[in-house]
Amino acid sequence: MRFEVLGHTVGAPLGGACAGYLVHGDGGTILLDCGPGTLERVWRRGLAGRLSAIVLSHAHADHVLDLVPWSTSVTSGELEHRAGGPLPPTPLYVPRDHGPQVLDALVVALGLREDRFSGAFDLREYDDRDRLSIAGMELTFARTAHPVPCFAPRIDDGRATIVYGADGARSPALVAHAHDADLLVVEATYLDPDPGQQRYGHMTGEEAGQVASQAGAKRLLLTHLLPRPDENLENLRRARAAFSGTVDLAREGLVVVA
Ligand SMILES: [Zn+2]
Ligand SMILES: [Zn+2]
């Protein structure tokens, strides 16, 4: 598998797009999260309308907002126009109950047609009891320590394992879920420990390194970064001090082979 970073910023698309990652397998490509700036980057790669699935870790704005223009590009026929013919609706996996609630609220708040999202995507719900098979890749999930239902996918193609920690504070569940991962993608939002971790549910670079070390992961990629280059480099340094494997900072276009 190849893991490709489209966007890595937290909160706002400053200095790059928000959360959006492609997992390329032999049988297709999965998009993980769809934050602001993701659609344009998927479009440039000619993959909009051709993905095997979109999987949303959770329904915070920096992980979902591009679904709004994406649905417009589907219902307006723009994706089919580019493809030169009909395209099947892309399966869109959202956290059970909370995902549809947020999409329904967006429909009301933005005055969209009631079937905007269900008409544009093949909408499906999941949670941590589910095991998904998508394009030859098996996905299982662990709930993370975050204020809204958030699930970290573990993706296995039979040869390698990639775990995307999504958003969440350090937790034993994430460590267990990420055991022996070939690539662990974890957030490094803060430089110093979050004083209200229960409230915000995020990690530092040092904590990300500790999770990778405890999980026995082979490689660590830090993401969900603020637009503060100096702090991100310091987070990278602290993660490397806590984890003996390879550690990188996410950047647009970075591809890691697992
Ligand atoms: Zn979040
Ligand atoms: Zn986030």
Side-chain angles (χ1 to χ4, degrees), residues 205-222:
E206 182 178 25
E207 290 170 328
Q210 291 165 349
V211 168
S213 181
Q214 290 165 4
K218 294 188 180 63
R219 184 167 181 162
L220 173 63
L221 180 62
L222 302 177

Side-chain angles (χ1 to χ4, degrees), residues 172-246:
L174 180 60
V175 170
H177 190 56
H179 69 87
D180 300 326
D182 295 286
L183 171 63
L184 175 59
V185 183
V186 175
E187 63 147 285
T189 307
Y190 296 124
L191 189 56
D192 296 308
D194 173 9
Q197 270 191 352
Q198 293 309 312
R199 186 175 165 202
Y200 294 110
H202 291 297
M203 261 189 271
T204 66
E206 182 178 25
E207 290 170 328
Q210 291 165 349
V211 168
S213 181
Q214 290 165 4
K218 294 188 180 63
R219 184 167 181 162
L220 173 63
L221 180 62
L222 302 177
T223 192
H224 207 257
L225 308 172
L226 289 164
R228 303 179 187 179
D230 292 346
E231 289 191 12
N232 294 333
L233 285 174
E234 177 61 17
N235 258 334
L236 178 63
R237 193 190 67 75
R238 294 183 187 183
R240 283 176 171 160
F243 174 60
S244 58
T246 303

Side-chain angles (χ1 to χ4, degrees), residues 9-11 19 58 60 62-63 146 167 202 224:
T9 64
V10 48
H58 67 303
H60 272 159
D62 54 338
H63 298 252
H146 206 51
D167 285 12
H202 291 297
H224 207 257

Side-chain angles (χ1 to χ4, degrees), residues 74-122:
V74 174
T75 56
S76 67
E78 218 47 60
L79 293 193
E80 292 198 345
H81 179 76
R82 181 173 185 182
L87 291 168
T90 301
L92 170 62
Y93 290 88
V94 301
R96 196 176 308 286
D97 298 329
H98 191 251
Q101 285 170 16
V102 170
L103 295 181
D104 288 347
L106 281 173
V107 163
V108 173
L110 300 176
L112 305 175
R113 273 179 54 139
E114 200 175 316
D115 65 347
R116 167 59 86 89
F117 294 108
S118 58
F121 301 102
D122 176 3

Side-chain angles (χ1 to χ4, degrees), residues 64-85:
V64 305
L65 267 191
D66 257 19
L67 285 182
V68 176
W70 195 312
S71 64
T72 304
S73 69
V74 174
T75 56
S76 67
E78 218 47 60
L79 293 193
E80 292 198 345
H81 179 76
R82 181 173 185 182

